[in-house]
Amino acid sequence: MTSEKLLSVENLRVLFNTRNGQTVAVENLSFSLEAGKVLGIVGESGSGKSVACYALMGLIPSPPGKIETGRALFHGKDLLQMSEAELRHTRGHKIAMIFQDPMTSLNPYMRIADQLIEVLLQHKKITKRAAREKSITALMEVGIQDAAKRIDEYPHQFSGGMRQRVMIAMALLAEPEILIADEPTTALDVTVQAQILALIKGLQKNHNLAVIFITHDLGVAAQMADDVLVMEKGRLVEQGTTETIFKNPTQDYTKKLLNAVLTSAKPVNSFAKRDEAPLLEVKNLQVGYASHSGSFFSRVKKFTRGVDNVNIRLYRGEILGLVGESGSGKSTLGRSIIRLIDAQSGELIFNGKNLLDLSPANLTDMRRDIQMIFQDPYASLNPRMTVFDTLAEPLLVHGLATQATVLDQVNELMDDVGLDRRFIRKYPHEFSGGQRQRIAIARAISLKPKLIVADEPVSALDVTIRAQILALLLELTQKHNLTMLFISHDMSVVRYLCDRVVVMQKGRLVEEGETEKLFSAPEQEYTRQLLAAIPTL
């Protein structure tokens, strides 16, 4: 007995008009979706995954976008030939979508109640009161506690995982037949991601939904999908059942994606010098934030502790992983080490000196020895500076280069991070995400620092680009004898890269140890939860 074919896409071709001519985003794509099944669409950024699904929903901006050819039959009607009024009726009602970033999808000026009720009033013949009751029920179904109270809050009052639950509730309110999930867990912690994936899978079965799940994470695709479609540069490369694709791939591109999945420990020996004094010693560090609540006339000052009595040792040549969920204090600790955040008490002994005692002038000199790689290179690179200016500035400011030598030194940095020297006159927006992160890494190593604090430097990258950047970091730590504090919520990345691991929860250090020992025999329940949440093939 064969399942009903709910959606049939034939020969879809989508292009965009750019300054450099036409760019084909989707080329001759055909696939089908059966009722009650999950279809995973995988591939790197730029492969056309999202564009193909946006075309089905009528969300391709025209101009510059254009659906040149193709059909998308849903209950016998071609989605690509529908009027705007027909599409508005179909979107949300028959086909719903969950986007990657709920904060950009939810209206920050509207209460959650108003946004959910609006969906029902648009698509159902229902009173506002009944719509509110149904919205509360939907929030309860997606696991939001005290839904009757929280429905009147604003999006910024929810965590990232809770906002994504709201988006799922909104998508399911009108009882659609197809749910399109576009990278819905990319920005989430590994444990929150596991919760959201389990939630979507459970709702899919309970409501007999057909789901298109777009992702670049093959572990997630293996966990969620019945069938998988692999895309590269707008084209269909391979498709089949999940088991067939992951166990017996036939195409080189699919094999490349699978080989980039991190399943093993660090491939090189550690160069850590643990018989010497630690390069960095964090002693009883306390970092907190002051906030206010109450009315204007009765303001109450509240102190929230972000890092609570933490002690860490980091040795020369070592890569130390710092892991935990959002809100665990990882980034706060990293930023306090480089003095971007002030600590209230404790000591930060770096190379024999307490960083908390340094004057502003001495702090400037210290920052030559401690550099930081941020999560989002597009936000940390100056969009008005070329690559040359970005890399030359720290060299000139710290007197490590002259106008006569700086070009050669910038070219050497480009070689170090695997970028073509011809790119030095380009601006950040002219590069891909992976290339921008290479530029950020080049800037961090330009001063030959003793310590690099890397804060989630690969969390936003595709699986293949992520593997390249991690291999680059390993190569550079050996070549330049670097020491690194690597902050991440991705346990597979930490296992691949780090010599030792420190686990944080709610501002406190809960466990630490050698990487393989901690992964094979974690002592704390919290660590076991983090490890259990890793999606696997």
Side-chain angles (χ1 to χ4, degrees), residues 451-498:
L451 172 64
I452 286 181
V453 178
D455 188 7
E456 301 272 14
V458 296
S459 63
L461 302 178
D462 290 336
V463 61
T464 51
I465 306 301
R466 179 184 68 178
Q468 293 169 18
I469 296 297
L470 292 174
L472 173 64
L473 288 172
L474 276 177
E475 179 187 338
L476 293 174
T477 53
Q478 296 171 44
K479 180 177 180 179
H480 297 285
N481 193 30
L482 296 172
T483 305
M484 187 180 298
L485 178 65
F486 189 90
I487 301 168
S488 180
H489 66 254
D490 191 326
M491 298 295 281
S492 60
V493 167
V494 169
R495 185 180 189 186
Y496 174 84
L497 191 71
C498 300

Side-chain angles (χ1 to χ4, degrees), residues 42 141 161 187 191 209 214 255 311 335 380 407 416 443 475 495 514:
V42 303
E141 188 177 11
T191 50
L209 281 170
I214 303 168
K255 293 174 184 177
N311 293 273
R335 291 173 186 235
S380 62
L407 177 59
D416 273 348
R443 183 180 61 183
E475 179 187 338
R495 185 180 189 186
E514 302 287 334

Side-chain angles (χ1 to χ4, degrees), residues 291-295 298-302:
S291 59
H292 295 83
S293 61
S295 66
S298 58
R299 302 283 277 173
V300 177
K301 188 174 182 179
K302 184 180 179 182

